[in-house]
């Protein structure tokens, strides 16, 4: 079955992008109807983060998120297996590209929008050095091999895995190896501090953006990936000023505030299927 799914994805990679997106929307529609637990998670996240919307507006937004999520899943077909010229032609760099290519220690702040894999590949193609990425290993060896083939196709991606800890990552950063970092998920109590995020006053958040940039003496460059009808816009922002500071918590508050601003520009594209608020402060009930 795994071999068949990979073969289908490699066939999809050869289709025109509008066809891929139509199939992806169909996948999203199917997931909306079948993935009840994930649908519930999305609804809870939107209720907590966007209480200003009516229930009908949040429901419509949740449905659009599933469509975008399904499209991003099938987009991995051409990102990872289409000819390089095709994939590159669907990725458009926007903004402060020099912030990525300039010499010196670098941490890329890459939030979990549905186009995260497109952004990671684009960063690899843009940065003229090895770039460290932190991945979660796939349980199926064949899937893991296919995913790594795709994510490392730029030729300069240096993969690290969360279960291996941070020692190697820190060592590479100190040597000047750029780090592509996505710290906006809930990774549990042991790694997190509680700071506000989109109206939730105590959201478990990993403060690694501040920590890694301080240890490496690195500039922090946000890269936000936006799905478009033509592919993806890779929005490269200017390096954060006065970051990091001596206040780890305030740095993390600032990170979440920046992320919230970007989410509001394309709320259907943020990764709402994740249990963003699964870790609660002591004594507070769960929300899912």
């Amino acid at each position: 079955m795994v071999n068949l799914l990979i073969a289908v994805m490699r066939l999809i990679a050869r289709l025109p992008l509008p066809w891929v997106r139509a199939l992806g929307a169909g996948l999203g529609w199917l997931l909306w109807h079948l993935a009840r637990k994930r649908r519930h998670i999305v609804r809870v996240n939107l209720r907590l983060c966007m209480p200003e919307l009516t229930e009908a507006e949040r429901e419509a937004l949740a449905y659009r998120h599933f469509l975008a999520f399904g499209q991003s899943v099938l987009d991995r077909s051409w990102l990872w297996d289409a000819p390089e010229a095709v994939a590159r032609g669907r990725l458009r760099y926007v903004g402060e590209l020099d912030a990525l290519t300039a010499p010196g220690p670098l941490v890329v702040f890459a939030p979990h929008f549905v186009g995260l894999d497109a952004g990671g590949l684009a960063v690899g193609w843009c940065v003229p050095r090895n770039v460290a990425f932190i991945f979660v290993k796939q349980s199926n060896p064949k899937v893991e091999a296919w995913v790594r083939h795709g994510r490392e196709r730029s030729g300069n991606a240096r993969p690290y895995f969360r279960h291996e800890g941070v020692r190697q990552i820190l060592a590479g950063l100190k040597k000047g190896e750029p780090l592509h970092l996505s710290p906006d998920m809930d990774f549990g109590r042991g790694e997190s501090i509680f700071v506000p995020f989109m109206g939730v006053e105590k959201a478990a958040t990993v403060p690694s953006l501040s920590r890694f940039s301080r240890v490496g003496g690195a500039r922090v460059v946000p890269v936000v990936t936006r799905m478009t009808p033509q592919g993806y816009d890779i929005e490269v922002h200017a390096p954060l000023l006065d970051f990091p500071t001596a206040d780890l918590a305030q740095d993390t508050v600032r990170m979440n505030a920046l992320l919230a601003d970007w989410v509001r520009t394309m709320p259907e594209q943020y990764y709402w299927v994740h249990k963003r608020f699964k870790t609660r402060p002591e004594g507070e009930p769960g929300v899912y």
Side-chain angles (χ1 to χ4, degrees):
M1 179 62 73
V2 171
N3 288 339
L4 176 61
L5 289 174
I6 293 174
V8 168
M9 289 290 277
R10 286 176 170 157
L11 287 173
I12 292 173
R14 291 163 171 76
L15 297 176
L17 183 57
W19 294 22
V20 178
R21 289 285 170 81
L23 290 171
L27 174 62
W29 178 88
L30 189 64
L31 292 172
W32 170 259
H33 289 283
L34 296 182
R36 294 183 179 181
K37 289 183 179 179
R38 290 296 163 182
R39 191 173 64 203
H40 171 70
I41 291 167
V42 171
R43 284 169 170 162
V44 171
N45 285 337
L46 293 178
R47 175 173 53 81
L48 292 172
C49 293
M50 296 188 171
E52 71 278 7
L53 300 181
T54 66
E55 185 174 347
E57 288 171 334
R58 286 196 297 270
E59 190 73 357
L61 175 56
Y63 178 67
R64 294 199 306 274
H65 171 65
F66 270 83
L67 298 186
F69 177 80
Q71 289 174 321
S72 72
V73 169
L74 294 196
D75 277 351
R76 289 178 175 89
S77 65
W78 57 265
L79 284 166
W80 294 349
D81 283 305
E84 184 174 323
V86 172
R88 282 181 177 269
R90 295 173 181 173
L91 304 178
R92 184 173 77 114
Y93 296 96
V94 180
E96 306 286 337
L97 194 57
D98 289 347
L100 286 180
T101 58
L106 168 67
V107 174
V108 175
F109 172 35
H112 277 84
F113 290 95
V114 295
L116 181 62
D117 274 301
L121 185 59
V123 167
W125 274 331
C126 175
V127 176
R129 296 178 276 169
N130 286 340
V131 182
F133 290 82
I134 304 173
F135 296 137
V136 176
K137 200 164 189 176
Q138 304 296 313
S139 58
N140 185 291
K142 292 180 179 179
V143 173
E144 171 65 16
W146 177 63
V147 169
R148 288 195 62 170
H149 154 79
R151 285 177 169 169
E152 297 174 32
R153 75 174 296 185
S154 64
N156 62 341
R158 183 173 174 82
Y160 296 97
F161 296 93
R162 286 191 54 80
H163 69 274
E164 296 174 340
V166 301
R167 185 174 298 177
Q168 289 180 311
I169 301 168
L170 288 172
L173 189 59
K174 289 178 180 178
K175 293 177 182 177
E177 184 176 79
L179 173 63
H180 183 276
L181 188 66
S182 302
D184 57 315
M185 297 281 98
D186 184 340
F187 291 119
R189 192 177 307 278
E191 299 186 40
S192 303
I193 60 175
F194 289 96
V195 294
F197 176 60
M198 295 195 74
V200 178
E201 287 303 311
K202 296 180 179 179
T205 307
V206 180
S208 55
L209 188 66
S210 179
R211 283 175 174 159
F212 279 132
S213 59
R214 182 183 299 110
V215 170
R219 68 185 183 278
V220 173
V221 177
V223 174
V224 177
T225 307
R226 186 183 302 268
M227 180 187 290
T228 70
Q230 294 76 35
Y232 291 91
D233 279 357
I234 314 302
E235 299 177 353
V236 183
H237 294 256
L240 299 186
L241 297 177
D242 302 318
F243 191 98
T245 69
D247 192 328
L248 186 76
Q250 283 306 307
D251 286 349
T252 308
V253 169
R254 182 181 174 190
M255 179 192 81
N256 277 357
L258 287 170
L259 175 56
D261 288 341
W262 297 323
V263 169
R264 291 187 181 98
T265 70
M266 47 174 171
E268 74 284 353
Q269 294 191 34
Y270 192 57
Y271 204 73
W272 297 114
V273 292
H274 169 71
K275 288 185 177 182
R276 180 60 186 85
F277 309 107
K278 64 183 177 182
T279 303
R280 305 299 300 143
E282 291 290 347
E284 294 196 15
V287 297
Y288 299 106

